[in-house]
Amino acid sequence: MALLIIGLIIGFACFGLLTYKLISFIKNKQINDLEDKKLKIFFLVLIASQGLFTIMSSFGFVLLNNYVLRVPDVFRLIFGSYMFGTGWNALFSSFVLYYYKPSINEKLRKIIRIILFCSIPVFVFGLIFMADGFAYYMEYPLPVGISIDKGLVNYAEAYSASFVVRFYGICVVGGACVTYFICDHYFYKKFKRHGIIDTLFLVAFPSGLVGARLWYCLVLEPETYLSNPVSILHIWDGGLAIQGGALLGIIAGITYMLIFRKYVDIRFAIDVIIPCILVAQAIGRWGNFFNAEVHGNEVLLSNWNWLPLFITKQMQYTSIAGSTNVSTSEGMIYLPLFLIESASNLCGYFLISKGVGIGLKKYVKGGVQASLYLVWYGLTRVILEPLRYGNESSGSAFMYSQSFYTAIAMVIAGVVIALIFQFVVPIIENKIKKQKNV
């Protein structure tokens, strides 16, 4: 216990000191570069030492739970913990310096940019290795949250514990925050100031949560919730639908921009923000991993044993019927649809924002990228929805078929809107210009 507490305290203190120094450096307008060697060394030491404190915390957790680690797991834990801790501090530091201290000379900015993008896989793979070091010894299904009175709680305990912070909520909020910072960067590049979308975020994100809840209650399970409308407010019982969240969030966001940010080209705004929703959805889907939901029917484990152990272990359980004690047959796991959709969403974002937004910039009109979000996510759900747990193999009848038909509608709407932005809007704009010239 002592090793775990000391590791966590020193680790958080190290990160706190790093944050304080970064903020001080950014706010100091007289210092525009990292010319001071002592300052460089100070940042490097804080970044590198975080991995050591993470290792300390990891082995403190091992000792606390009396785990007897196998030799391969010891190496996974050491390697993964160091990569995770160091990768996180490197990612955080390079992100802050690159996006919030533009006065740094261009040569150093290029180095920081390389560190930024290299630290992402270091952080991610470090987390995977560290989790795999624990995976053999953890109790499954994994906890769904943490409470102030019971600590880590499982699916059943979460309803009786006090003030439970669910990992699902952490993933959703985390995805929203990452999306905010990405979008804020694009707006900064165009308008040379941060904070333009701060209020937009505070409007669109809650609207998305409301839309997700209403869609789940009124579209997916109307019989359950219309018979007791008050239960719609019981958000702690779970039940969110991404499609409803995305649609209401987009509507609220566009409305806000049209009313309060008239100086911003709405097509630029939606091309930046809407495709980035895919990033939030990709991260948010990991909340379903902890809840043991959004998966398919049983498949052979031997076909999926290339996945990290903590994923295959967790995918042996389901929360269907309100319990995570339902497990698969021996040698089987549930098809990890949450993981497939998460990967698809990330691929979709980069394809739309980089492939189309940058690669085809000369040929694509404003608004098309936003439309392609509807196409990509709609196609993803069209393909994955029939594979959901409990659906017939023929796909002729399956749970939440409303989502399948909505996904088809999203694809059609996305194609139509893209064609309008690409061909119809330019014709209308040209006519208006000719009339003004006359």
Side-chain angles (χ1 to χ4, degrees), residues 5 43 59 113 122 127 194 205 210 249 284-285 329 331 387 423 438:
I5 294 175
F43 280 134
F59 279 92
R113 189 170 186 268
V122 171
L127 178 60
H194 294 287
F205 181 57
V210 172
R285 272 304 182 202
S329 307
L387 301 177
F423 300 108
V438 172

Side-chain angles (χ1 to χ4, degrees), residues 117 120 182 186 275-276 278-279 343-359 369 376:
F117 286 104
I120 294 174
I182 294 173
Y186 280 104
C276 205
L278 288 168
V279 177
S344 174
N345 288 339
L346 285 179
C347 290
Y349 170 71
F350 286 106
L351 182 63
I352 295 171
S353 65
K354 308 302 180 184
V356 176
I358 297 178
Q369 291 180 66
W376 184 272

Side-chain angles (χ1 to χ4, degrees), residues 11-12 14-15 45-55 85-86 89:
F12 280 118
C14 177
F15 178 70
V45 169
L46 287 179
I47 291 171
S49 59
Q50 186 68 54
L52 299 177
F53 304 137
T54 308
I55 292 174
T86 304
N89 268 14

Side-chain angles (χ1 to χ4, degrees), residues 7-36:
L8 289 174
I9 291 175
I10 299 177
F12 280 118
C14 177
F15 178 70
L17 182 58
L18 177 64
T19 303
Y20 171 75
K21 282 293 184 180
L22 286 170
I23 293 174
S24 300
F25 177 68
I26 290 169
K27 288 185 175 181
N28 193 331
K29 295 182 180 179
Q30 295 179 346
I31 303 178
N32 292 323
D33 240 327
L34 289 170
E35 296 176 353
D36 188 347

Side-chain angles (χ1 to χ4, degrees), residues 88-105:
W88 166 251
N89 268 14
L91 174 61
F92 176 76
S93 303
S94 56
F95 178 88
V96 171
L97 290 173
Y98 186 78
Y99 291 121
Y100 292 92
K101 191 70 170 179
S103 56
I104 293 177
N105 71 71

Side-chain angles (χ1 to χ4, degrees), residues 77-227:
L77 202 54
I78 294 174
F79 182 64
S81 296
Y82 190 81
M83 286 180 65
F84 174 73
T86 304
W88 166 251
N89 268 14
L91 174 61
F92 176 76
S93 303
S94 56
F95 178 88
V96 171
L97 290 173
Y98 186 78
Y99 291 121
Y100 292 92
K101 191 70 170 179
S103 56
I104 293 177
N105 71 71
E106 193 57 35
K107 182 179 179 181
L108 186 56
R109 277 180 62 81
K110 287 182 179 179
I111 295 174
I112 293 174
R113 189 170 186 268
I114 292 172
I115 295 174
L116 172 62
F117 286 104
C118 290
S119 61
I120 294 174
V122 171
F123 167 72
V124 172
F125 284 107
L127 178 60
I128 292 173
F129 276 107
M130 184 173 70
D132 241 21
F134 288 117
Y136 184 80
Y137 314 93
M138 296 290 288
E139 183 178 345
Y140 297 89
L142 295 172
V144 299
I146 185 169
S147 72
I148 59 174
D149 61 334
K150 294 184 178 180
L152 295 174
V153 293
N154 60 32
Y155 193 89
E157 293 171 337
Y159 292 98
S160 58
S162 300
F163 191 72
V164 177
V165 177
R166 286 181 177 262
F167 297 137
Y168 181 91
I170 293 175
C171 291
V172 170
V173 173
C177 290
V178 170
T179 297
Y180 162 78
F181 284 113
I182 294 173
C183 295
D184 181 64
H185 167 62
Y186 280 104
F187 273 80
Y188 177 82
K189 288 176 65 176
K190 186 174 180 65
F191 298 98
K192 303 305 177 186
R193 65 186 179 93
H194 294 287
I196 294 175
I197 61 170
D198 285 5
T199 308
L200 168 66
F201 177 78
L202 296 176
V203 170
F205 181 57
S207 298
L209 294 178
V210 172
R213 180 60 176 172
L214 291 178
W215 190 277
Y216 180 86
C217 296
L218 303 181
V219 177
L220 300 185
E221 296 193 4
E223 299 86 0
T224 301
Y225 289 93
L226 288 179
S227 60

